[in-house]
Amino acid sequence: MLDDYPETLMNIEWHNPSFTPGNSDFDIPEYSSRASMYGVGGIPHTQWNGVQETVGGYANGNWQAFIGTFTSLYNSMVGEETPYEISINGYAGSEVSYDVTISMDADMSNSNQKVDIFVVEDNIWSYWTGASQYHNARNVARDWLTTQDLTISTAGESETFSGTFDMDEDWNADSIKIIAIVQNYVSKQVYQVTAVNINDMNPDIDDDGILNGEDNCIDIFNPGQEDYDNDLIGDACDPCDNLVYILGNLNGDTDENGIPVIDIMDVLSLVDFLIFDDSYECQDPILNINGDEFVNVVDVIALVQSILNGDN
C-alpha cells in the first residue's frame, strides 16, 4: 500500500522488543512511550490516523489476508480535510539539520495540538523467525526527536521547529527519512503528516548560496547576510533591525527616504505604554529613553526634550 499511495499513506514501524528479529537494532526505548500512548497490547497493532486500530494478524506473515481491512481504513480517511501543511528542509551530513515548518490555510484551535518529529529508516531487508521468511521492513523508527506544542491557530500563520540529529553508523543514509506530524494529544487524531528523505531536502531554500543552517534569513535571498544589529537575524527578515526602530522611534515611521521620524506621535506611543503596559517586540528595546533601565514618566520628559532640542 505504501508503494500504491506514496503521497497520501505514510507509516512508522515501531518494534516491540519481544517480537523484534534477532540480531537487529529495531527496538528503541521510545517504543514503550508510543505504545503506551495508544494502549498497545496485542501484536501486531496498527493505528490509523491515531484513532482507528487493528490488532492481530495471520500466520506466516500472510499480509494479503489483511489488505482488504487496511484498504477500507485508508479509503475512509484519505479524503479528510486538514488546515495544516508541513514542509521539511535542511542539510544532511554526518549531522543532519532540519527545519519543519507548519503553515495553516484555515483557522483551528491549537489546544492540545503538538508536533512530533521522527527519524525512520526505510526498506530494511530482515529475517523474521515468526514468519520463517525475509521481510522488507518499511520506515522503521530510529529516533523520536521531539514533541513540541503547536502555538499557531489562524489561517496564514506558520511556525518552524528546528533541530539536529547525528547519523548512526549502522543506518543506511540513503534510506533515512524525517517524518513530521501534527497530532492532538487528547483525541489522538493525526491531522497532517509529511515525510522526506534526508537527501531530498533543500539545503538552501532561498538559493542565496548560504546553507539553511548558517543562513540568517532562510526564506529570503540575502547573500551578503547583512545584520546591522548583530542579533543573528538578517536585516532582510528582521522586523527590528535597529535601522528604523532606533531609540525613541516607537511607532517605527520614516520619511520618504526611509529615515526614522521621531515626533509627538512617539511621545503618545510612550504614554500609551505607561498607561496600558502594552507594547510589541520592536518597541521593547527602545522604550527606556534616558537609559536608567526603568520606563516611566521621566522617559516621556526625556523624549519631549530631545524632540524640542532637535537631538534626533
Side-chain angles (χ1 to χ4, degrees):
M1 289 183 68
L2 291 174
D3 291 334
D4 291 338
Y5 309 108
E7 300 299 323
T8 52
L9 180 61
M10 300 178 192
N11 83 307
I12 300 176
E13 193 172 294
W14 299 88
H15 289 262
N16 184 309
S18 300
F19 295 91
T20 296
N23 300 318
S24 79
D25 58 353
F26 289 176
D27 57 305
I28 60 176
E30 291 84 355
Y31 164 82
S32 58
S33 297
R34 204 67 184 172
S36 176
M37 181 175 184
Y38 294 121
V40 173
I43 302 294
H45 176 115
T46 69
Q47 196 79 18
W48 294 75
N49 266 13
V51 294
Q52 182 66 54
E53 69 178 34
T54 70
V55 180
Y58 287 82
N60 299 318
N62 182 17
W63 61 266
Q64 291 92 339
F66 243 119
I67 194 68
T69 298
F70 290 163
T71 300
S72 295
L73 286 168
Y74 168 81
N75 288 332
S76 72
M77 296 177 174
V78 68
E80 293 181 359
E81 295 292 329
T82 176
Y84 302 107
E85 295 286 345
I86 304 177
S87 65
I88 306 174
N89 286 289
Y91 177 75
S94 58
E95 180 183 75
V96 178
S97 63
Y98 63 85
D99 298 298
V100 173
T101 299
I102 316 295
S103 56
M104 302 187 67
D105 57 19
D107 295 353
M108 184 171 184
S109 170
N110 58 25
S111 178
N112 302 307
Q113 298 287 78
K114 294 184 182 293
V115 175
D116 286 316
I117 304 174
F118 309 96
V119 177
V120 303
E121 183 176 355
D122 200 7
N123 296 313
I124 304 175
W125 195 240
S126 175
Y127 187 75
W128 293 79
T129 55
S132 300
Q133 60 183 277
Y134 278 85
H135 165 75
N136 189 26
R138 301 298 307 272
N139 296 325
V140 175
R142 288 305 198 181
D143 199 356
W144 185 347
L145 295 177
T146 187
T147 298
Q148 296 191 47
D149 292 332
L150 186 67
T151 65
I152 58 175
S153 59
T154 305
E157 290 186 316
S158 64
E159 187 170 7
T160 298
F161 303 85
S162 301
T164 62
F165 64 92
D166 294 326
M167 289 289 294
D168 190 290
E169 62 181 11
D170 294 327
W171 299 350
N172 178 1
D174 291 334
S175 297
I176 296 298
K177 301 177 183 177
I178 297 172
I179 295 180
I181 72 173
V182 175
Q183 182 172 28
N184 187 286
Y185 263 49
V186 172
S187 70
K188 305 301 188 293
Q189 175 78 35
V190 175
Y191 283 95
Q192 186 60 281
V193 56
T194 295
V196 64
N197 185 290
I198 59 172
N199 296 321
D200 294 333
M201 296 189 298
N202 185 351
D204 182 14
I205 297 173
D206 57 7
D207 293 322
D208 62 3
I210 311 297
L211 296 180
N212 297 335
E214 303 295 328
D215 198 334
N216 61 19
C217 286
I218 292 177
D219 297 312
I220 299 177
F221 184 86
N222 66 328
Q225 299 288 283
E226 293 83 0
D227 181 13
Y228 182 84
D229 56 4
N230 294 314
D231 64 353
L232 304 182
I233 303 174
D235 295 341
C237 59
D238 190 348
C240 315
D241 61 8
N242 283 357
L243 301 176
V244 171
Y245 285 93
I246 63 174
L247 190 66
N249 191 28
L250 303 182
N251 61 0
D253 60 347
T254 65
D255 62 19
E256 64 276 8
N257 297 313
I259 304 301
V261 175
I262 301 176
D263 55 20
I264 188 61
M265 300 306 297
D266 298 293
V267 176
L268 295 177
S269 294
L270 183 53
V271 172
D272 283 345
F273 170 77
L274 294 178
I275 295 174
F276 301 109
D277 192 26
D278 186 20
S279 64
Y280 51 92
E281 60 174 338
C282 295
Q283 287 182 321
D284 292 338
I286 55 174
L287 290 168
N288 185 208
I289 307 300
N290 67 354
D292 65 357
E293 298 184 3
F294 299 97
V295 180
N296 50 37
V297 69
V298 178
D299 293 292
V300 176
I301 296 171
L303 182 56
V304 170
Q305 288 176 338
S306 176
I307 293 171
L308 293 175
N309 293 333
D311 296 334
N312 50 75

